[in-house]
Amino acid sequence: MLKKSLESFGRYCIFMWKCMSVPDKWREFFRRYVQELLRLGIDSIPLVLIVSVFIGAVCTIQMKLNITSPLLPKYAIGMTTREIILLEFSSSILCLILAGKVGSSIASEIGTMRVTEQIDALEIMGVNSANFLVFPKIAAFVSYIPVLVVFCMVTSLFGGYLICIVTGMVSVDVYIYGLQTMFTPWYVWYAIIKSLIFAFIISSVSSFFGYYVEGGALQVGTASTRAVVTSSILILLMDVVCTKVMLQ
Amino acid sequence: MIEVKNISKSFDGKTILHSVSAQFKDGLTNLIIGQSGSGKTVLMKSLVGLHTPDQGEILYDGRDLLKMNNSQKKELRKEIGMLFQGSALFDSETVLGNVMFPLKMFSDMSYEEQLERAHFCIKRVNLVGADDKYPSEISGGMQKRVAIARAIALNPKYLFCDEPNSGLDPKTSILIDELLVDITHEYGITTVINTHDMNSVLGIGENIVFLNKGHLAWTGNKDQVYDSDNETLNDFVFANDLFKKVKKYVNLTNDK
Ligand SMILES: Nc1ncnc2c1ncn2[C@@H]1O[C@H](COP(=O)(O)OP(=O)(O)O)[C@@H](O)[C@H]1O
Ligand SMILES: [Mg+2]
């Protein structure tokens, strides 16, 4: 088990080395970069929007229901909701969700290209296929993730705001006051930095699993599942490391 | 000319190619024939460098592929076109995009020149009016034509085709075969074709290499097939009744 993991890690490093070279044609790179930006980034916005609004709303309800001590001020609800969203939800949880969407799509796309010999066709022409296919994906997803994270923060807090208006369980003014109280800008940066690491994990690990598929459609499916599982585990691991390193 | 000397290749301890030697000649359609699983694809992928053989030499007009460094390989690859068994067209590109792809990546042509060259190649393979279609929208035979057009876009010196007529009806197969022969002769390309299709063997086999379970079993051309007394070859080529009768008939007329 350990030996196998180490072996995979070694192969992953070699793969990354192949990916991270200077593109043959910059024009082609930018064309693909823009395509990936649309497919991996902008297409994820609806999902992020739905998830964020609901989680933001649920968080606010939970805080209201669980903060019952009379010693705690009412604005603690908005404040704790904000901290949860900024510290964990907008980066770690969001990336776990995106690992499912983006990771599986990358792994199955590249895996299909492998089993239908499209990658061989690229290699035959003398194209560095790893660099050509994977580098634009990593670059696009990593560069777009901050947008998704910030978007997620805003919409989650907006979800909480909506629930205040709709149910009136917390007054809107108190909620907004809570959001502003003891705000630490560093937490936003912390979320963005973490998400950059997670985005790199998702895009590179999924590409890796797709790139080395052998067999047919069944194996592409397996690879895409493994890509999602592995990147999720790595995200959780890195989350622990980042929290320890950056918040202490 | 491509010369192969004593190529061996094994996967996970299982030997697939046993010291195969062969020559593939300029301006001819060179066939690698053999049953499914005999190692044709492995041999072809070794020839083009997608597999690295365990031992042996692969000489492209004297240049040993296995001793080349990366930049030399890259140069050589510009002289190689390849047609894959499943066509391997890029799903995300249109027909025109597929044919223009190698030109975009590897030529110094202006966009107009690229377009002109791509149209020329598409016309050469008798495919018109499909420029803006995606690979999933056209038939298997058309996909093969697009793949051929893409393979010849950069004017290759060597053309490799892995089972160019697998999955095609007999008539389309013959059209594709004829197209390959025409292109080979017209541009003096060294063409290597993998096939287990007897129509092709007897129709376009100008130089045939017969593989049996990874061993080189016979070489010759399509006329020599008829009077060969190599038993495995006869078993393979004249497996069905019709071909058995054809052989008998040809031999009778030859004797007279
Ligand atoms: N990448 C690979 N790994 C392991 N075994 C392989 C690989 N490619 C081919 N083989 C094996 O090599 C043998 C010959 O395959 P192939 O060359 O594809 O036959 P064909 O003559 O039908 O093209 C088969 O038994 C196949 O299982
Ligand atoms: Mg084959």
Side-chain angles (χ1 to χ4, degrees):
Chain A
M1 173 75 185
L2 184 71
K3 188 169 160 260
K4 249 182 110 181
S5 312
L6 277 178
E7 244 177 54
S8 300
F9 182 70
R11 287 213 303 174
Y12 170 80
C13 291
I14 296 172
F15 175 67
M16 279 296 111
W17 178 249
K18 251 184 97 183
C19 287
M20 297 299 167
S21 49
V22 180
D24 290 322
K25 283 258 156 122
W26 281 104
R27 260 187 62 166
E28 197 56 21
F29 171 80
F30 281 116
R31 197 174 70 91
R32 297 186 66 84
Y33 174 78
V34 172
Q35 271 178 6
E36 300 299 344
L37 217 51
L38 288 173
R39 277 177 9 106
L40 302 178
I42 298 188
D43 281 358
S44 299
I45 284 188
L47 176 72
V48 175
L49 176 73
I50 293 171
V51 174
S52 307
V53 169
F54 279 91
I55 294 289
V58 169
C59 251
T60 311
I61 300 175
Q62 289 285 14
M63 289 311 135
K64 160 75 185 164
L65 296 180
N66 289 293
I67 298 181
T68 46
S69 162
L71 289 177
L72 287 172
K74 273 266 188 299
Y75 65 74
I77 295 168
M79 203 180 93
T80 42
T81 303
R82 182 197 74 213
E83 299 294 59
I84 291 173
I85 300 294
L86 293 195
L87 286 173
E88 286 305 322
F89 178 70
S90 66
S91 51
S92 319
I93 309 294
L94 181 75
C95 284
L96 283 176
I97 292 166
L98 288 177
K101 178 182 186 286
V102 172
S104 64
S105 105
I106 291 181
S108 51
E109 180 193 334
I110 295 186
T112 306
M113 293 190 74
R114 166 62 76 193
V115 300
T116 55
E117 296 180 310
Q118 292 176 49
I119 292 184
D120 285 339
L122 285 170
E123 287 288 328
I124 277 297
M125 293 175 192
V127 179
N128 175 346
S129 59
N131 173 265
F132 179 79
L133 293 172
V134 176
F135 194 33
K137 286 189 198 296
I138 297 181
F141 194 51
V142 169
S143 59
Y144 198 73
I145 197 80
V147 176
L148 290 176
V149 168
V150 172
F151 179 72
C152 169
M153 290 173 179
V154 173
T155 47
S156 305
L157 297 179
F158 180 69
Y161 174 80
L162 277 183
I163 211 74
C164 294
I165 292 182
V166 172
T167 65
M169 59 199 302
V170 185
S171 90
V172 174
D173 294 341
V174 174
Y175 175 75
I176 291 186
Y177 179 72
L179 290 187
Q180 293 164 342
T181 313
M182 291 189 266
F183 172 64
T184 326
W186 163 242
Y187 286 177
V188 176
W189 293 112
Y190 162 75
I192 290 176
I193 293 170
K194 272 207 306 188
S195 70
L196 291 176
I197 298 172
F198 299 157
F200 181 79
I201 291 176
I202 295 172
S203 46
S204 64
V205 169
S206 310
S207 304
F208 171 70
F209 277 102
Y211 195 81
Y212 288 105
V213 171
E214 270 175 31
L218 187 67
Q219 282 75 11
V220 173
T222 318
S224 115
T225 311
R226 284 174 59 199
V228 175
V229 172
T230 311
S231 27
S232 305
I233 294 173
L234 289 175
I235 287 174
L236 293 170
L237 268 176
M238 282 314 287
D239 194 22
V240 175
V241 176
C242 289
T243 313
K244 181 86 180 110
V245 171
M246 291 201 284
L247 288 188
Q248 231 180 13
Chain B
M1 186 168 78
I2 308 170
E3 230 179 324
V4 177
K5 292 185 182 163
N6 301 318
I7 290 285
S8 295
K9 173 76 188 168
S10 49
F11 290 106
D12 317 316
K14 195 172 143 231
T15 310
I16 306 292
L17 292 179
H18 300 265
S19 189
V20 173
S21 301
Q23 290 185 349
F24 303 103
K25 295 169 188 147
D26 294 349
L28 296 184
T29 45
N30 301 273
L31 262 51
I32 302 173
I33 65 172
Q35 287 179 357
S36 282
S38 56
K40 301 184 295 291
T41 302
V42 173
L43 176 59
M44 182 168 281
K45 288 195 171 172
S46 304
L47 281 178
V48 297
L50 288 173
H51 289 322
T52 314
D54 306 330
Q55 60 161 63
E57 286 174 39
I58 298 172
L59 303 173
Y60 279 81
D61 293 313
R63 300 167 291 173
D64 191 344
L65 172 73
L66 303 171
K67 294 208 179 78
M68 288 184 184
N69 61 28
N70 278 342
S71 63
Q72 286 169 321
K73 263 189 200 157
K74 215 165 171 170
E75 280 309 306
L76 177 66
R77 291 215 157 137
K78 287 181 199 165
E79 301 172 6
I80 292 180
M82 184 157 176
L83 179 63
F84 288 85
Q85 190 162 355
S87 296
L89 298 177
F90 303 125
D91 300 320
S92 55
E93 304 269 355
T94 59
V95 165
L96 186 65
N98 266 287
V99 180
M100 276 180 77
F101 184 87
L103 299 167
K104 262 193 311 200
M105 294 297 288
F106 294 109
S107 72
D108 310 317
M109 297 179 186
S110 70
Y111 180 77
E112 282 72 29
E113 288 168 323
Q114 291 176 12
L115 206 60
E116 195 186 341
R117 173 74 191 158
H119 278 134
F120 173 80
C121 294
I122 291 175
K123 212 166 143 203
R124 184 65 195 80
V125 298
N126 306 321
L127 193 83
V128 273
D131 283 10
D132 298 322
K133 294 222 166 70
Y134 283 89
S136 57
E137 299 168 343
I138 58 179
S139 70
M142 285 162 95
Q143 288 179 2
K144 292 278 159 144
R145 288 176 197 271
V146 179
I148 295 174
R150 183 176 71 181
I152 61 171
L154 284 174
N155 256 326
K157 268 170 83 172
Y158 315 98
L159 180 64
F160 296 87
C161 312
D162 194 0
E163 312 239 348
N165 38 32
S166 71
L168 301 180
D169 60 274
K171 196 157 176 210
T172 314
S173 293
I174 290 171
L175 288 177
I176 296 283
D177 278 350
E178 281 172 356
L179 179 61
L180 288 172
V181 174
D182 288 351
I183 287 173
T184 302
H185 292 169
E186 194 174 330
Y187 305 108
I189 304 173
T190 310
T191 305
V192 182
I193 302 173
N194 267 357
T195 186
H196 57 223
D197 181 35
M198 286 318 116
N199 284 320
S200 307
V201 176
L202 299 175
I204 60 168
E206 296 173 324
N207 175 33
I208 301 174
V209 173
F210 174 48
L211 278 187
N212 183 34
K213 299 192 181 107
H215 294 274
L216 178 73
W218 186 81
T219 53
N221 64 33
K222 62 182 176 185
D223 300 321
Q224 292 163 339
V225 169
Y226 292 106
D227 11 86
S228 155
D229 43 21
N230 183 316
E231 260 183 49
T232 36
L233 179 75
N234 287 336
D235 262 6
F236 172 65
V237 179
F238 304 105
N240 79 25
D241 262 0
L242 176 63
F243 283 118
K244 277 191 192 116
K245 282 180 190 148
V246 170
K247 179 179 163 82
K248 221 187 242 161
Y249 177 75
V250 169
N251 285 346
L252 272 179
T253 44
N254 279 357
D255 288 346
K256 273 179 205 162

